[in-house]
Amino acid sequence: MIFERIRNIREDNDLTQSQIAEFLNINQRTYSRYERGEISITVETLCKLADYYGTSLDYLAGRTDIKTPYSSKKIK
């Protein structure tokens, strides 16, 4: 599911794999393999993507269909 979400959100934002790979400081081929589900994407990389797109990790992981990120309030 993650690979589908990262591809869809990239395409929804009219971005190329090369542009996202440059942002992540990785090779375009590596990013392409993430999107095809050939290799696992790290939590660190998912966090960067979530911040970049202004969404939550849960959205990228397919745990919710709500793109809006969670509140940044800390739980006590």
Side-chain angles (χ1 to χ4, degrees), residues 16 54 70:
T16 65
Y70 301 122

Side-chain angles (χ1 to χ4, degrees), residues 18-28 30 34 45 48:
S18 295
Q19 289 171 307
I20 298 303
E22 184 176 332
F23 167 75
L24 296 173
N25 198 30
I26 61 172
N27 184 299
Q28 179 273 331
T30 300
Y34 289 155
T45 300
K48 287 179 185 178

Side-chain angles (χ1 to χ4, degrees), residues 46-70:
L46 280 175
C47 287
K48 287 179 185 178
L49 289 173
D51 290 344
Y52 182 82
Y53 291 120
T55 193
S56 68
L57 288 175
D58 280 347
Y59 176 76
L60 293 180
R63 295 184 62 186
T64 183
D65 290 330
I66 300 169
K67 289 184 180 181
T68 308
Y70 301 122

